[in-house]
PDB file of all heavy atoms in Angstrom:
ATOM      1  N   LEU A1365      13.022   7.075  17.780  1.00  0.00           N
ATOM      2  CA  LEU A1365      12.171   8.157  17.286  1.00  0.00           C
ATOM      3  C   LEU A1365      11.695   8.980  18.468  1.00  0.00           C
ATOM      4  O   LEU A1365      11.151   8.440  19.424  1.00  0.00           O
ATOM      5  CB  LEU A1365      10.945   7.592  16.545  1.00  0.00           C
ATOM      6  CG  LEU A1365      11.218   6.787  15.285  1.00  0.00           C
ATOM      7  CD1 LEU A1365       9.956   6.085  14.831  1.00  0.00           C
ATOM      8  CD2 LEU A1365      11.765   7.675  14.200  1.00  0.00           C
ATOM      9  N   GLY A1366      11.917  10.273  18.407  1.00  0.00           N
ATOM     10  CA  GLY A1366      11.453  11.152  19.468  1.00  0.00           C
ATOM     11  C   GLY A1366      11.999  10.803  20.835  1.00  0.00           C
ATOM     12  O   GLY A1366      11.324  10.975  21.843  1.00  0.00           O
ATOM     13  N   GLY A1367      13.215  10.285  20.879  1.00  0.00           N
ATOM     14  CA  GLY A1367      13.827   9.935  22.152  1.00  0.00           C
ATOM     15  C   GLY A1367      13.415   8.583  22.699  1.00  0.00           C
ATOM     16  O   GLY A1367      13.815   8.211  23.800  1.00  0.00           O
ATOM     17  N   HIS A1368      12.619   7.827  21.947  1.00  0.00           N
ATOM     18  CA  HIS A1368      12.173   6.503  22.380  1.00  0.00           C
ATOM     19  C   HIS A1368      12.729   5.446  21.446  1.00  0.00           C
ATOM     20  O   HIS A1368      12.657   5.595  20.225  1.00  0.00           O
ATOM     21  CB  HIS A1368      10.642   6.401  22.371  1.00  0.00           C
ATOM     22  CG  HIS A1368       9.979   7.389  23.275  1.00  0.00           C
ATOM     23  ND1 HIS A1368       9.904   7.215  24.633  1.00  0.00           N
ATOM     24  CD2 HIS A1368       9.390   8.575  23.019  1.00  0.00           C
ATOM     25  CE1 HIS A1368       9.280   8.254  25.173  1.00  0.00           C
ATOM     26  NE2 HIS A1368       8.966   9.106  24.201  1.00  0.00           N
ATOM     27  N   ALA A1369      13.266   4.376  22.002  1.00  0.00           N
ATOM     28  CA  ALA A1369      13.744   3.252  21.204  1.00  0.00           C
ATOM     29  C   ALA A1369      12.568   2.312  20.967  1.00  0.00           C
ATOM     30  O   ALA A1369      11.959   1.821  21.917  1.00  0.00           O
ATOM     31  CB  ALA A1369      14.874   2.531  21.922  1.00  0.00           C
ATOM     32  N   LEU A1370      12.242   2.087  19.703  1.00  0.00           N
ATOM     33  CA  LEU A1370      11.080   1.272  19.343  1.00  0.00           C
ATOM     34  C   LEU A1370      11.523   0.081  18.497  1.00  0.00           C
ATOM     35  O   LEU A1370      12.239   0.247  17.511  1.00  0.00           O
ATOM     36  CB  LEU A1370      10.071   2.116  18.559  1.00  0.00           C
ATOM     37  CG  LEU A1370       9.568   3.371  19.271  1.00  0.00           C
ATOM     38  CD1 LEU A1370       8.829   4.269  18.294  1.00  0.00           C
ATOM     39  CD2 LEU A1370       8.677   2.988  20.434  1.00  0.00           C
ATOM     40  N   ARG A1371      11.084  -1.123  18.881  1.00  0.00           N
ATOM     41  CA  ARG A1371      11.436  -2.340  18.144  1.00  0.00           C
ATOM     42  C   ARG A1371      10.340  -2.665  17.130  1.00  0.00           C
ATOM     43  O   ARG A1371       9.157  -2.688  17.466  1.00  0.00           O
ATOM     44  CB  ARG A1371      11.616  -3.517  19.093  1.00  0.00           C
ATOM     45  CG  ARG A1371      12.082  -4.787  18.385  1.00  0.00           C
ATOM     46  CD  ARG A1371      12.186  -5.966  19.334  1.00  0.00           C
ATOM     47  NE  ARG A1371      13.042  -5.694  20.466  1.00  0.00           N
ATOM     48  CZ  ARG A1371      14.346  -5.966  20.518  1.00  0.00           C
ATOM     49  NH1 ARG A1371      14.943  -6.512  19.490  1.00  0.00           N
ATOM     50  NH2 ARG A1371      15.030  -5.692  21.595  1.00  0.00           N
ATOM     51  N   VAL A1372      10.743  -2.948  15.891  1.00  0.00           N
ATOM     52  CA  VAL A1372       9.795  -3.276  14.818  1.00  0.00           C
ATOM     53  C   VAL A1372       9.246  -4.680  15.064  1.00  0.00           C
ATOM     54  O   VAL A1372       9.995  -5.657  15.124  1.00  0.00           O
ATOM     55  CB  VAL A1372      10.471  -3.202  13.430  1.00  0.00           C
ATOM     56  CG1 VAL A1372       9.489  -3.592  12.338  1.00  0.00           C
ATOM     57  CG2 VAL A1372      11.036  -1.810  13.183  1.00  0.00           C
ATOM     58  N   ARG A1373       7.910  -4.776  15.220  1.00  0.00           N
ATOM     59  CA  ARG A1373       7.246  -6.062  15.423  1.00  0.00           C
ATOM     60  C   ARG A1373       6.771  -6.647  14.106  1.00  0.00           C
ATOM     61  O   ARG A1373       6.831  -7.846  13.877  1.00  0.00           O
ATOM     62  CB  ARG A1373       6.061  -5.908  16.375  1.00  0.00           C
ATOM     63  CG  ARG A1373       5.359  -7.237  16.656  1.00  0.00           C
ATOM     64  CD  ARG A1373       4.182  -7.079  17.570  1.00  0.00           C
ATOM     65  NE  ARG A1373       3.107  -6.395  16.841  1.00  0.00           N
ATOM     66  CZ  ARG A1373       2.126  -5.727  17.409  1.00  0.00           C
ATOM     67  NH1 ARG A1373       2.072  -5.602  18.705  1.00  0.00           N
ATOM     68  NH2 ARG A1373       1.201  -5.157  16.672  1.00  0.00           N
ATOM     69  N   ASP A1374       6.272  -5.782  13.211  1.00  0.00           N
ATOM     70  CA  ASP A1374       5.723  -6.257  11.945  1.00  0.00           C
ATOM     71  C   ASP A1374       5.831  -5.135  10.927  1.00  0.00           C
ATOM     72  O   ASP A1374       5.988  -3.969  11.291  1.00  0.00           O
ATOM     73  CB  ASP A1374       4.260  -6.666  12.134  1.00  0.00           C
ATOM     74  CG  ASP A1374       3.805  -7.698  11.126  1.00  0.00           C
ATOM     75  OD1 ASP A1374       4.603  -8.074  10.237  1.00  0.00           O
ATOM     76  OD2 ASP A1374       2.639  -8.135  11.217  1.00  0.00           O
ATOM     77  N   LEU A1375       5.754  -5.473   9.646  1.00  0.00           N
ATOM     78  CA  LEU A1375       5.764  -4.457   8.607  1.00  0.00           C
ATOM     79  C   LEU A1375       4.879  -4.886   7.456  1.00  0.00           C
ATOM     80  O   LEU A1375       4.704  -6.068   7.196  1.00  0.00           O
ATOM     81  CB  LEU A1375       7.178  -4.142   8.108  1.00  0.00           C
ATOM     82  CG  LEU A1375       8.279  -5.151   8.275  1.00  0.00           C
ATOM     83  CD1 LEU A1375       8.526  -5.947   7.040  1.00  0.00           C
ATOM     84  CD2 LEU A1375       9.517  -4.371   8.614  1.00  0.00           C
ATOM     85  N   PHE A1376       4.316  -3.881   6.779  1.00  0.00           N
ATOM     86  CA  PHE A1376       3.398  -4.124   5.670  1.00  0.00           C
ATOM     87  C   PHE A1376       3.817  -3.297   4.468  1.00  0.00           C
ATOM     88  O   PHE A1376       4.134  -2.116   4.598  1.00  0.00           O
ATOM     89  CB  PHE A1376       1.964  -3.730   6.066  1.00  0.00           C
ATOM     90  CG  PHE A1376       1.435  -4.526   7.223  1.00  0.00           C
ATOM     91  CD1 PHE A1376       1.499  -4.017   8.508  1.00  0.00           C
ATOM     92  CD2 PHE A1376       0.917  -5.786   7.035  1.00  0.00           C
ATOM     93  CE1 PHE A1376       1.025  -4.737   9.589  1.00  0.00           C
ATOM     94  CE2 PHE A1376       0.438  -6.528   8.103  1.00  0.00           C
ATOM     95  CZ  PHE A1376       0.497  -6.005   9.381  1.00  0.00           C
ATOM     96  N   GLN A1377       3.814  -3.929   3.302  1.00  0.00           N
ATOM     97  CA  GLN A1377       4.141  -3.239   2.059  1.00  0.00           C
ATOM     98  C   GLN A1377       2.978  -2.354   1.649  1.00  0.00           C
ATOM     99  O   GLN A1377       1.821  -2.775   1.704  1.00  0.00           O
ATOM    100  CB  GLN A1377       4.420  -4.268   0.956  1.00  0.00           C
ATOM    101  CG  GLN A1377       4.908  -3.663  -0.331  1.00  0.00           C
ATOM    102  CD  GLN A1377       6.287  -3.053  -0.209  1.00  0.00           C
ATOM    103  OE1 GLN A1377       7.198  -3.683   0.322  1.00  0.00           O
ATOM    104  NE2 GLN A1377       6.455  -1.847  -0.689  1.00  0.00           N
ATOM    105  N   LEU A1378       3.272  -1.118   1.237  1.00  0.00           N
ATOM    106  CA  LEU A1378       2.276  -0.165   0.758  1.00  0.00           C
ATOM    107  C   LEU A1378       2.614   0.203  -0.689  1.00  0.00           C
ATOM    108  O   LEU A1378       3.704  -0.090  -1.171  1.00  0.00           O
ATOM    109  CB  LEU A1378       2.279   1.085   1.648  1.00  0.00           C
ATOM    110  CG  LEU A1378       1.922   0.865   3.118  1.00  0.00           C
ATOM    111  CD1 LEU A1378       2.105   2.162   3.890  1.00  0.00           C
ATOM    112  CD2 LEU A1378       0.508   0.337   3.269  1.00  0.00           C
ATOM    113  N   PRO A1379       1.710   0.886  -1.389  1.00  0.00           N
ATOM    114  CA  PRO A1379       1.983   1.278  -2.776  1.00  0.00           C
ATOM    115  C   PRO A1379       3.211   2.186  -2.894  1.00  0.00           C
ATOM    116  O   PRO A1379       3.581   2.878  -1.951  1.00  0.00           O
ATOM    117  CB  PRO A1379       0.720   2.039  -3.187  1.00  0.00           C
ATOM    118  CG  PRO A1379      -0.340   1.560  -2.255  1.00  0.00           C
ATOM    119  CD  PRO A1379       0.361   1.232  -0.965  1.00  0.00           C
ATOM    120  N   GLN A1380       3.828   2.174  -4.068  1.00  0.00           N
ATOM    121  CA  GLN A1380       4.994   2.992  -4.424  1.00  0.00           C
ATOM    122  C   GLN A1380       6.207   2.744  -3.538  1.00  0.00           C
ATOM    123  O   GLN A1380       6.998   3.655  -3.286  1.00  0.00           O
ATOM    124  CB  GLN A1380       4.647   4.486  -4.442  1.00  0.00           C
ATOM    125  CG  GLN A1380       3.829   4.873  -5.638  1.00  0.00           C
ATOM    126  CD  GLN A1380       2.458   5.372  -5.258  1.00  0.00           C
ATOM    127  OE1 GLN A1380       2.240   5.827  -4.152  1.00  0.00           O
ATOM    128  NE2 GLN A1380       1.539   5.274  -6.187  1.00  0.00           N
TER     129      GLN A1380
END
Side-chain angles (χ1 to χ4, degrees):
L1365 297 169
H1368 300 282
L1370 303 168
R1371 184 183 304 268
V1372 178
R1373 182 181 71 203
D1374 206 357
L1375 23 99
F1376 299 97
Q1377 186 68 48
L1378 298 174
Q1380 286 116 23

